[in-house]
Amino acid sequence: MSTTLELFWHLSSANKKDRLDASAKLIGALERFQAEFVPKEAPETSDEDENEEFSGKNRDGLDALNAQDVSYSIRRLVRGLASPRESSRLGFAVALTELLSRINTVTCSQAVTLILDSSKTQGSMTGQEERDVLFARLFGLTAVIQSGLIVRDTPLSSSASSATEASNLASFSEVISELLALGEKRSWLRESAWWTIGLAVDALGASSVYWKDDAFEAALEMIYVENKIWTPEKIALTLKLQKLRADADWRKLLSPPFKQPEITHSGNYTALARILKEVNADEDEDADVKSKTVSWKPQVHYVWDLLLGEVLSPQSSKGSFPEMFRILVDESLFSSTSSPERKYWGFQIFQKALSRVSATDLPMLFTKNFMRSWINHLSNSDRYLHKAAKQVVTDIQGLVKKDPTLGFALILQLTGVHGSHQFDKLTKTKTVETILTSMDNEGIQSYIKYLLGQVNDQEGGKTADIQAINARRAWVIEQLAALVRNGAVPKDDAWVQAVLDWFTVHGLFIVRKQSEKSEFLALHSIPAPPFSDELRKLCRERLLSCLAELTTHASVVQTDDKNIKVSAVASDGQFWVSKVLSTIERLDKDTKHVRRIVEAEEEEEELRQKARELASRLSKITGEQQEAAKGAELLVSATLLHHYCATDDEDSDSEALQVLSCVDGASGMFPVETKKTKKSRKSVTTSADEVAPEPIDLLVDTVIGSLEEATAYMRAVANQVFTLLSGSVKESTIDLIVAQLSRRDPAELLQDEDEDMEDSPDADSEDQEDSESESSHDEEDDEEDMEEDPELRRKIEEALRVNGINAATGESDDESDEEFMDDDQMMAIDEQLAAVFKARADEKRNSGVDAQREATHYKNRVLDLVDIFLKKQPTSPHVIRVILPLVELIVDTSSDEKQLADKTTGILRSRIGKSKEIPADVDKEQAIVVLQELHVRARKAPSSDVLATLNQCSLYLVKTLLNRGDAEQEVVKAYQESLKDFITRKASRLNTAFLQDFIRRYPGAAWNLRNNLIDVTKTAVNGYRQSQAFQLLQVLVNQLFAIGDHKEEIISFMPSLRDAILAAVSKACTEASLTAAHVKEILKLAISAVRQSKRIVSSPEELATLWDPSSWEELSKNLATSDSLKAAAGLQNLCKQVIRAVNQSSTKDSTSSNKPSSGATKRKADDGEQGDEEVVTKKAKRKKVNKNKSS
């Protein structure tokens, strides 16, 4: 027993793996014990002996044929089923099931008797104890069934009793009876008990016991004859029994409440719906037929899996899934009177059916009541079933991703009769949009065909509602545009072109006659009723918005040797805008079927023709100018199309001027070499008083003007055009762009206009003194001006009326009015009139704020052009012209434009500060001016972030200038001035990083600052700045190895550095101008400089001459006697290290004069010196600590 006892403990483990391991070990051990067990032959005994044998533990008969360990384990496993310990019931049930399935020495009646005896309830039990016992009985009977013991036909080899059968009809009937009673005893056990009965029925059907038919008859008798109550569990069991016992009299067994013998017959759906909803079925028809209701639980009943499997099975001939789903789910669980709990079941059943139904039955799931409930609960997150509805959306989206061919059918249901055209808007989700992104090309084309079929009146015009038709057409337009604008939807040239052509036809033309053979889908039928002006305008707007999206969309274009991604073009390399213009040109020629909405004048038509010809010529240009020609072509074509879509007279005139400007610029930039063209250009040039602008400037000016457009179309075109033209820009072009960033604030312009309007009456008053008639006339005009704002007048009248005063009508007497006004009324009127005028002033102020906001947006768009230029043309010499305006934008912007300043900072740091490429042929004078201006602004930088940006720009310019090879002197001069400002001026905003970065990155040029650094240490504004000057010298000394061959200069520099250090530290000893920490860093500089000197000098004597050890001995004495520095003993040690470094070099030279020296020997010597110095320093520190402790 000791080998198995410890395994029982792990059967109760909360870890599933531990439980299974323990079960496997226990069963393996018991099988070995049973294999070794030899049952004893039962002697003949008397009745008294038999009574004694079957008393106590032997009454179950387990010990007769089983080993002691096995019989003990069976009893303990059965008792353990009632344990309240966590997970023990699961572990013991698994072990019991496995044990009963492997041994053939236990009968079903023995096991059932043992289970029933150990799970009896008593009146003294608590609720928890009774619950444990009932579950023990359920799990025990389930173990008997799942082990196969209930229908085992293998006889026992020998038995203590006369019966040798492992199972029989009586034991089977007893199990079914006990499970039925268990389900009736507690409602929360019924589902589990009947599910176990289903297991028993399945086991019986799969067995070959001789009493199989009798067992089925007994089961039918107990389930249907003795029990008239119908529950979902009984329906689930009926579905199984009808397959196993098809020859039974099911009409009699199922009636009432069912009228048909097959339970899934459509005639039984009404009764099924009542039972599955768990309300009384056939209450009105038969009072004896009842169904039990239970408390609701979130898990849907397992009967639905069986029902769906049965109805959706190909062998099912009596039931119809659409009808079953409509009656059992839609009209029952989703009815208007159903509770949220029943609707929650409905959503789960829908999810189960969604993954099982075929494509043909899929639309039948989206029934009326379901769609209503689904949309309602999706629309608001506060709804009770919002999460369940969201889960349905997730399942639908996952289904489409798995099978994209289902997308079209699903969209038809979501936007169809039971759904809504505005499904995504109503539900505040992106369900339809997400389905579209998962659909294949064929599905999208089917969807487009469906949308176009919704355009015309589907009722034949008899009872047509014009408003409803227009609303449906507007929805179709939005859906078509959404297909193109959604970047996640896979694009295909065929359907994209079809959508653009449809927008073009209905936006710019009127269909006269249908043409079913036309390439344009819009001509296949005449819209009935015709499109309204609002719909045509909407078509034009969506056409431009689609082109805006396509302009930024990159398509793969196949070239001769590779595939490249190009924006704004189709897969054949042609601009989408050009394709639309080609469509317009073909439609213009088809006067039989269409006509223009607005006929163009002759001059306007000539301009359009000229623009089309120019675009065609530009598309054929190749070579170096091909990219710029593509940009000009896109600009001309896009502007021309925008002109087509402008129907208002004012808009049309402005667009015509814009087209003319583009044509002139593109023609000048890409001229046609003919005599006629030369003469025309010559005449234009000579007739102008000023120098004609560059053609590229005209094009870029149009691009800049497009940024002010309210449409995203022109802004997208502008960015793409400038990307293509960026390689052809000139200095004047850059100046034109950056001028937009420094233009005057619109709010100030509005203020000036207001001031001009205020000044104008004064000027008029001087003229009014000439005659009384003019004066009176002007007064009348003033009164008329006062009445120009009816809203203000209405508010004033309301304020007067509230206080009982009528507004002046011209006939009232002022004196009589004053008689009825007391002080309180006057105060009330004053307060209300003040509120009215204050609101008026706020409106004017808000208009200024809007103007400021619009100006900021405009500058943001211009910054996009600058970013494009810096990204596409990093080696352009014009990059230098951009830096200073961007810096001014950072420094001069107000707090309201912080986003603008942040964006500008990002451009400078990413495109300038981190640029690995520099301009090749930069203008030296211009770059020097920009560098000097940057340093001037850096000395007054408002913040450290701005200074960091200026530092990066300065280093970029230094790199550019030094790359020329002739501007080092100017660079050094700029940093000399900044160095002097930083050290000698207390208010300087510079920091050491600004100068250190220059020294570290360009040590060769920074070496020219050595004397300046020495000089500023003597003229520093304070000790802190003096120490920072020495800190810069430290950086410079550390970079001596990188400055090249400057040995003589370094040797001549070291005495100056020595004197500066000695002077600064000596002064600190007497005047306390430096702190001990500052002096320490300066002395470290001296040590570092000595080491660098040792690498250069030719003899120790020369090193001693450079650093004069006696002067350092004197300094050490001064430090020891200094009132402010004598406490810092480490400073004196540092002085001694300098002396030792100089003297040790002389000593080593004398001892090794007869030995050859090598680089390795020198390195070792240096390392040794350094180690000694570190030891001295550490000793000094220990002495200092001990001194502090003793004090």
Side-chain angles (χ1 to χ4, degrees):
M1 294 296 295
S2 60
T3 58
T4 58
L5 284 177
E6 60 183 9
L7 298 176
F8 285 96
W9 178 261
H10 296 289
L11 291 178
S12 301
S13 173
N15 187 285
K16 180 179 179 180
K17 184 177 182 301
D18 293 342
R19 293 199 305 269
L20 293 177
D21 291 343
S23 299
K25 292 178 181 179
L26 177 63
I27 301 304
L30 294 178
E31 281 186 314
R32 290 195 302 272
F33 294 150
Q34 185 64 24
E36 297 172 358
F37 175 72
V38 178
K40 297 180 180 179
E41 294 182 359
E44 295 181 359
T45 57
S46 62
D47 294 341
E48 294 180 358
D49 295 335
E50 289 182 1
N51 293 334
E52 292 178 359
E53 181 180 354
F54 286 99
S55 64
K57 68 175 183 179
N58 292 327
R59 63 184 177 182
D60 52 21
L62 293 177
D63 293 335
L65 299 177
N66 297 286
Q68 184 180 2
D69 295 88
V70 175
S71 58
Y72 170 80
S73 297
I74 294 175
R75 296 188 187 99
R76 180 164 180 178
L77 290 174
V78 171
R79 291 196 304 270
L81 295 176
S83 173
R85 188 179 167 197
E86 181 184 7
S87 303
S88 63
R89 189 173 293 116
L90 296 176
F92 278 73
V94 170
L96 178 62
T97 303
E98 192 66 21
L99 180 60
L100 292 178
S101 66
R102 296 198 181 191
I103 60 175
N104 296 321
T105 54
V106 178
T107 64
C108 179
S109 60
Q110 286 178 324
V112 171
T113 301
L114 185 63
I115 292 169
L116 295 179
D117 290 344
S118 63
S119 60
K120 291 180 179 179
T121 58
Q122 300 177 3
S124 60
M125 286 184 173
T126 64
Q128 180 62 37
E129 292 173 341
E130 183 179 3
R131 176 180 178 275
D132 292 335
V133 169
L134 294 177
F135 270 116
R137 177 169 296 190
L138 175 64
F139 274 71
L141 295 177
T142 304
V144 171
I145 296 172
Q146 290 186 325
S147 66
L149 182 60
I150 191 173
V151 289
R152 185 174 297 166
D153 54 359
T154 303
L156 277 70
S157 57
S158 59
S159 175
S161 63
S162 58
T164 59
E165 297 177 343
S167 62
N168 52 37
L169 176 62
S171 61
F172 180 87
S173 300
E174 184 179 12
V175 170
I176 300 298
S177 176
E178 290 296 333
L179 288 173
L180 288 172
L182 193 61
E184 292 297 322
K185 184 169 293 187
R186 291 291 183 270
S187 61
W188 39 267
L189 278 176
R190 188 172 70 211
E191 183 175 345
S192 299
W194 281 76
W195 180 79
T196 306
I197 295 173
L199 294 179
V201 170
D202 289 339
L204 180 63
S207 69
S208 58
V209 293
Y210 68 91
W211 42 269
K212 180 177 180 178
D213 293 339
D214 295 337
F216 272 121
E217 293 298 330
L220 293 176
E221 180 72 19
M222 287 185 287
I223 294 171
Y224 297 101
V225 178
E226 298 177 4
N227 183 9
K228 292 295 184 179
I229 298 176
W230 279 91
T231 62
E233 295 81 14
K234 193 171 183 179
I235 294 174
L237 191 59
T238 303
L239 289 171
K240 291 186 176 184
L241 288 172
Q242 284 194 337
K243 291 182 179 180
L244 297 174
R245 300 294 292 179
D247 56 342
D249 188 4
W250 287 107
R251 183 179 296 274
K252 180 179 179 182
L253 292 174
L254 299 184
S255 178
F258 300 106
K259 300 177 181 179
Q260 299 296 330
E262 188 174 353
I263 195 167
T264 57
H265 193 279
S266 58
N268 296 332
Y269 285 164
T270 303
L272 279 175
R274 292 182 185 140
I275 297 172
L276 295 178
K277 197 176 180 180
E278 306 209 15
V279 297
N280 290 341
D282 276 352
E283 287 179 343
D284 299 333
E285 297 178 8
D286 193 345
D288 296 334
V289 181
K290 300 179 181 180
S291 67
K292 277 201 172 183
T293 60
V294 296
S295 58
W296 180 84
K297 60 179 181 178
Q299 295 81 14
V300 70
H301 201 283
Y302 70 90
V303 69
W304 287 102
D305 292 314
L306 299 175
L307 269 176
L308 291 175
E310 180 68 22
V311 176
L312 293 174
S313 173
Q315 291 78 20
S316 178
S317 58
K318 300 293 184 179
S320 169
F321 172 75
E323 188 175 1
M324 185 274 287
F325 190 85
R326 177 180 60 83
I327 297 176
L328 270 65
V329 180
D330 188 66
E331 296 179 357
S332 177
L333 300 180
F334 284 114
S335 67
S336 58
T337 58
S338 290
S339 64
E341 291 82 4
R342 299 299 183 272
K343 291 179 180 178
Y344 182 75
W345 280 351
F347 284 132
Q348 292 187 70
I349 296 168
F350 176 89
Q351 292 172 257
K352 289 178 178 291
L354 186 65
S355 59
R356 300 187 183 192
V357 297
S358 61
T360 55
D361 289 335
L362 182 63
M364 305 304 173
L365 290 175
F366 297 87
T367 49
K368 180 180 179 180
N369 292 331
F370 163 75
M371 290 297 294
R372 185 196 69 246
S373 300
W374 187 33
I375 293 174
N376 287 341
H377 288 283
L378 270 180
S379 60
N380 195 336
S381 59
D382 294 336
R383 293 299 182 100
Y384 187 67
L385 300 178
H386 178 72
K387 289 185 178 180
K390 290 280 287 184
Q391 186 59 45
V392 172
V393 172
T394 303
D395 290 353
I396 290 176
Q397 294 172 351
L399 182 66
V400 178
K401 288 182 179 179
K402 188 181 299 182
D403 187 2
T405 59
L406 299 176
F408 176 58
L410 288 172
I411 289 181
L412 291 185
Q413 300 307 314
L414 300 185
T415 61
V417 178
H418 300 318
S420 171
H421 288 167
Q422 307 295 332
F423 183 87
D424 284 356
K425 185 177 180 180
L426 285 177
T427 60
K428 301 174 184 177
T429 63
K430 295 184 178 181
T431 308
V432 174
E433 182 179 341
T434 305
I435 293 176
L436 287 174
T437 61
S438 303
M439 291 169 59
D440 55 7
N441 184 48
E442 183 179 354
I444 292 176
Q445 290 183 348
S446 300
Y447 181 54
I448 292 174
K449 185 177 180 181
Y450 161 74
L451 290 176
L452 297 182
Q454 302 291 313
V455 172
N456 294 328
D457 179 20
Q458 300 175 347
E459 299 180 359
K462 296 180 181 179
T463 59
D465 185 356
I466 302 298
Q467 188 174 359
I469 294 174
N470 288 341
R472 186 171 67 248
R473 287 176 174 175
W475 172 76
V476 170
I477 293 171
E478 295 293 348
Q479 292 301 305
L480 291 174
L483 278 176
V484 180
R485 290 184 296 181
N486 192 334
V489 175
K491 301 291 188 299
D492 181 76
D493 287 1
W495 68 259
V496 172
Q497 185 66 52
V499 171
L500 297 179
D501 291 344
W502 192 87
F503 282 143
T504 303
V505 171
H506 289 299
L508 300 175
F509 295 87
I510 297 176
V511 181
R512 287 179 170 180
K513 185 180 180 180
Q514 70 178 22
S515 175
E516 296 181 356
K517 298 181 180 180
S518 175
E519 60 178 316
F520 304 113
L521 298 178
L523 298 184
H524 290 182
S525 62
I526 300 178
F531 272 55
S532 63
D533 293 339
E534 290 77 9
L535 289 177
R536 297 188 188 279
K537 181 180 179 182
L538 184 60
C539 285
R540 293 191 295 272
E541 292 175 352
R542 294 300 171 262
L543 172 64
L544 296 180
S545 65
C546 289
L547 289 173
E549 174 62 31
L550 294 173
T551 299
T552 59
H553 177 72
S555 301
V556 178
V557 179
Q558 186 175 5
T559 58
D560 296 335
D561 54 347
K562 60 180 180 179
N563 294 335
I564 58 174
K565 280 191 173 184
V566 184
S567 299
V569 301
S571 58
D572 59 356
Q574 186 181 6
F575 287 119
W576 284 111
V577 176
S578 301
K579 287 181 174 291
V580 174
L581 289 176
S582 178
T583 299
I584 295 175
E585 190 174 359
R586 295 199 301 273
L587 289 172
D588 281 336
K589 298 177 181 178
D590 189 10
T591 57
K592 179 180 178 180
H593 297 96
V594 295
R595 67 176 177 85
R596 286 270 190 87
I597 295 177
V598 178
E599 295 295 337
E601 298 180 357
E602 184 177 355
E603 294 180 358
E604 192 174 4
E605 194 61 39
E606 290 178 358
L607 177 61
R608 293 176 178 178
Q609 182 62 30
K610 185 178 180 181
R612 283 195 294 265
E613 293 175 355
L614 176 60
S616 177
R617 180 169 63 83
L618 292 173
S619 64
K620 300 175 183 178
I621 296 177
T622 58
E624 295 180 356
Q625 291 186 318
Q626 182 178 7
E627 186 174 3
K630 284 290 184 183
E633 178 194 355
L634 177 58
L635 181 60
V636 172
S637 301
T639 309
L640 177 59
L641 179 60
H642 203 243
H643 176 49
Y644 274 112
C645 295
T647 55
D648 297 337
D649 293 338
E650 294 182 1
D651 293 341
S652 180
D653 292 342
S654 61
E655 293 299 331
L657 293 174
Q658 198 170 16
V659 174
L660 182 60
S661 176
C662 291
V663 170
D664 291 342
S667 300
M669 190 171 179
F670 303 97
V672 179
E673 296 300 329
T674 61
K675 293 182 179 180
K676 182 178 180 181
T677 307
K678 289 180 180 179
K679 288 181 180 180
S680 61
R681 289 204 311 273
K682 183 177 180 181
S683 61
V684 172
T685 305
T686 55
S687 62
D689 296 334
E690 299 179 356
V691 179
E694 293 286 346
I696 184 65
D697 292 352
L698 292 177
L699 295 178
V700 173
D701 184 62
T702 305
V703 169
I704 294 173
S706 301
L707 298 179
E708 295 181 340
E709 296 286 344
T711 61
Y713 165 71
M714 288 306 297
R715 293 200 294 269
V717 167
N719 289 333
Q720 184 60 33
V721 168
F722 188 75
T723 301
L724 297 171
L725 293 177
S726 59
S728 302
V729 298
K730 301 182 181 297
E731 290 185 4
S732 57
T733 311
I734 298 298
D735 293 340
L736 178 63
I737 294 174
V738 298
Q740 312 305 313
L741 299 175
S742 59
R743 68 177 189 172
R744 196 173 181 187
D745 191 352
E748 297 179 3
L749 297 177
L750 289 176
Q751 184 178 359
D752 292 343
E753 292 178 1
D754 294 339
E755 291 176 356
D756 293 340
M757 293 177 64
E758 292 174 0
D759 293 341
S760 58
D762 296 337
D764 292 339
S765 63
E766 296 177 0
D767 298 335
Q768 289 169 5
E769 296 176 357
D770 296 340
S771 63
E772 293 181 358
S773 60
E774 292 181 358
S775 177
S776 60
H777 179 71
D778 290 337
E779 289 176 0
E780 293 176 359
D781 291 341
D782 293 339
E783 292 178 359
E784 292 177 0
D785 292 339
M786 291 296 293
E787 296 177 359
E788 285 181 0
D789 189 352
E791 182 65 20
L792 179 61
R793 181 180 181 85
R794 185 191 63 78
K795 291 180 179 179
I796 294 175
E797 291 178 354
E798 180 66 22
L800 294 173
R801 187 164 47 255
V802 168
N803 292 276
I805 302 173
N806 295 325
T809 59
E811 299 177 357
S812 61
D813 188 358
D814 294 341
E815 294 181 358
S816 61
D817 290 340
E818 290 179 0
E819 292 177 359
F820 296 97
M821 295 174 63
D822 53 17
D823 293 340
D824 294 337
Q825 286 180 316
M826 290 292 292
M827 292 297 294
I829 292 175
D830 287 343
E831 292 177 359
Q832 296 188 19
L833 289 179
V836 171
F837 288 117
K838 183 177 183 299
R840 181 65 173 173
D842 291 341
E843 292 178 2
K844 290 185 177 181
R845 190 180 303 109
N846 290 335
S847 64
V849 172
D850 294 338
Q852 175 64 37
R853 186 181 297 110
E854 184 60 33
T856 302
H857 292 332
Y858 174 74
K859 290 181 180 180
N860 267 304
R861 297 164 194 159
V862 175
L863 280 177
D864 291 335
L865 299 184
V866 177
D867 188 38
I868 290 171
F869 173 72
L870 295 176
K871 179 182 178 181
K872 298 289 290 184
Q873 307 297 329
T875 59
S876 172
H878 306 314
V879 171
I880 304 299
R881 304 182 71 88
V882 176
I883 297 177
L884 206 53
L886 295 183
V887 169
E888 292 176 353
L889 193 61
I890 295 176
V891 176
D892 298 338
T893 50
S894 61
S895 58
D896 296 336
E897 296 179 325
K898 185 178 183 302
Q899 187 271 340
L900 186 66
D902 292 342
K903 183 174 183 178
T904 308
T905 302
I907 293 175
L908 284 175
R909 291 188 176 184
S910 60
R911 304 299 181 198
I912 300 295
K914 297 181 181 180
S915 178
K916 296 181 180 180
E917 300 177 275
I918 57 174
D921 300 325
V922 68
D923 185 353
K924 175 183 175 182
E925 299 300 328
Q926 182 185 18
I928 292 173
V929 170
V930 175
L931 178 63
Q932 292 174 348
E933 183 63 26
L934 285 177
H935 280 248
V936 171
R937 290 187 173 274
R939 296 163 202 161
K940 303 176 182 178
S943 66
S944 58
D945 290 339
V946 173
L947 182 59
T949 304
L950 295 175
N951 184 24
Q952 292 185 2
C953 296
S954 176
L955 294 173
Y956 173 82
L957 287 171
V958 170
K959 183 179 180 181
T960 303
L961 289 170
L962 293 180
N963 188 57
R964 285 178 54 91
D966 60 349
E968 182 175 330
Q969 183 178 357
E970 289 79 2
V971 171
V972 172
K973 183 178 179 181
Y975 275 92
Q976 285 175 349
E977 296 176 358
S978 295
L979 173 63
K980 181 179 179 181
D981 181 84
F982 172 58
I983 301 298
T984 61
R985 191 169 67 91
K986 189 175 182 179
S988 177
R989 304 308 298 269
L990 293 172
N991 55 24
T992 54
F994 187 87
L995 299 166
Q996 283 179 357
D997 290 344
F998 170 68
I999 298 173
R1000 288 194 179 101
R1001 293 194 184 187
Y1002 309 104
W1007 177 243
N1008 296 314
L1009 291 175
R1010 61 189 183 279
N1011 294 327
N1012 302 94
L1013 288 169
I1014 296 295
D1015 294 339
V1016 295
T1017 59
K1018 305 171 184 177
T1019 59
V1021 67
N1022 52 37
Y1024 177 70
R1025 291 292 171 88
Q1026 186 182 27
S1027 66
Q1028 288 183 314
F1030 281 108
Q1031 184 179 351
L1032 294 174
L1033 281 168
Q1034 175 74 65
V1035 177
L1036 182 62
V1037 169
N1038 292 338
Q1039 299 292 326
L1040 288 179
F1041 67 91
I1043 66 173
D1045 188 12
H1046 294 276
K1047 179 178 179 180
E1048 297 300 328
E1049 294 179 358
I1050 295 175
I1051 292 176
S1052 63
F1053 167 69
M1054 289 303 174
S1056 301
L1057 177 61
R1058 178 201 64 198
D1059 294 341
I1061 295 175
L1062 291 173
V1065 178
S1066 298
K1067 183 179 179 181
C1069 292
T1070 57
E1071 299 181 7
S1073 58
L1074 295 171
T1075 64
H1078 292 159
V1079 174
K1080 182 179 179 181
E1081 296 299 325
I1082 294 174
L1083 293 177
K1084 286 183 178 180
L1085 167 61
I1087 296 174
S1088 178
V1090 170
R1091 293 173 184 169
Q1092 294 291 344
S1093 301
K1094 289 166 63 176
R1095 299 176 184 272
I1096 299 173
V1097 297
S1098 58
S1099 64
E1101 291 77 11
E1102 186 178 3
L1103 179 64
T1105 303
L1106 291 178
W1107 287 97
D1108 188 13
S1110 61
S1111 61
W1112 293 97
E1113 292 176 357
E1114 182 67 23
L1115 180 62
S1116 178
K1117 294 177 181 180
N1118 294 337
L1119 288 172
T1121 58
S1122 173
D1123 295 335
S1124 59
L1125 299 176
K1126 64 181 179 181
L1131 300 181
Q1132 302 171 36
N1133 291 328
L1134 289 174
C1135 287
K1136 294 177 182 179
Q1137 288 182 30
V1138 174
I1139 299 170
R1140 190 179 299 110
V1142 177
N1143 293 333
Q1144 281 181 354
S1145 176
S1146 177
T1147 303
K1148 283 191 289 184
D1149 184 73
S1150 62
T1151 56
S1152 61
S1153 59
N1154 297 325
K1155 296 181 181 180
S1157 61
S1158 62
T1161 306
K1162 291 182 179 179
R1163 283 194 295 272
K1164 283 186 177 181
D1166 293 340
D1167 295 340
E1169 292 172 8
Q1170 184 176 356
D1172 293 340
E1173 291 162 7
E1174 290 177 356
V1175 172
V1176 172
T1177 304
K1178 290 180 181 177
K1179 288 181 179 180
K1181 289 183 179 178
R1182 283 199 296 270
K1183 289 179 181 179
K1184 183 177 180 180
V1185 172
N1186 293 335
K1187 182 178 179 180
N1188 292 336
K1189 286 183 179 180
S1190 62
S1191 60

